[in-house]
């Protein structure tokens, strides 16, 4: 099974949206912001879900997820600020500390999502092989197509070995045996 198939793509998009929106909301509330309404939070989840589904055609790594998580954090921060009413003494959103907290959250979130995505892909591969073998054993001759994932490994190029060196045999009695 591939992680780009529709049911798994929907699941991965939902996880991305839930993690991004929840982390941003908790940081927003923790830093003194006002809680958005339920409709505004649902709209944020829907926007993130749509964006994650659109780019979720294949497995993404940490370097690709980091800018996406940064954009989600900063976009959600501004989106939550739209619904907040200005109150006296509300200094939320101003200062370097708020940006650093969102940056740290985005990096942690990208790392967690990249590792989770890789683990999910490995789990799907293992389940596919397990059930394919079970069907093959129990199915008594049913053909099951198994397409293993191709992983690009960094292999070293083989060292060239001279042909003459491999053709000469050095076996035989020692020289001092005939003296």
């Amino acid at each position: 099974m591939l992680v780009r198939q529709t049911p798994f793509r929907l699941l991965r998009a939902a996880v991305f949206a839930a993690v991004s929106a929840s982390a941003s909301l908790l940081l927003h509330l923790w830093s003194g912001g006002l809680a958005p309404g339920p409709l505004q939070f649902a709209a944020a989840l829907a926007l993130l879900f749509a964006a994650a589904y659109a780019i979720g055609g294949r497995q993404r790594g940490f370097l690709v997820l980091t800018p996406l998580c940064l954009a989600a954090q900063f976009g959600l921060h501004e989106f939550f600020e739209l619904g907040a009413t200005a109150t006296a003494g509300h200094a939320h959103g101003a200062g370097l500390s708020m940006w650093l907290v969102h940056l740290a959250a985005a990096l942690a979130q990208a790392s967690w999502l990249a590792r989770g995505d890789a683990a999910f892909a490995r789990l799907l591969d293992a389940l596919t092989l397990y059930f394919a073998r079970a069907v093959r054993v129990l199915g008594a001759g049913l053909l099951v197509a198994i397409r293993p994932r191709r992983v690009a490994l960094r292999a070293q190029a083989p060292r060239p070995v001279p042909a003459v060196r491999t053709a000469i045999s050095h076996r035989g009695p020692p020289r001092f045996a005939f003296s």
Side-chain angles (χ1 to χ4, degrees), residues 31-34 85-94:
S31 62
L34 296 176
T85 57
T87 60
H90 181 68
H92 176 70

Side-chain angles (χ1 to χ4, degrees), residues 172-179:
R175 289 185 189 197
F176 63 86
F178 296 110
S179 352

Side-chain angles (χ1 to χ4, degrees), residues 43-88:
L45 276 173
L47 286 171
L48 280 174
F49 179 81
Y53 185 79
I55 63 167
R58 63 185 177 96
Q59 188 176 343
R60 308 288 181 184
F62 176 75
L63 294 177
V64 175
L65 284 173
T66 299
L68 298 173
C69 290
L70 282 169
Q73 284 291 317
F74 295 131
L76 285 173
H77 172 77
E78 294 300 322
F79 188 71
F80 291 154
E81 280 294 307
L82 289 176
T85 57
T87 60

Side-chain angles (χ1 to χ4, degrees), residues 18-40:
V19 168
S20 296
S22 299
S24 188
L25 178 65
L26 288 174
L27 286 171
H28 187 78
L29 294 175
W30 181 55
S31 62
L34 296 176
L39 290 177
Q40 188 178 11

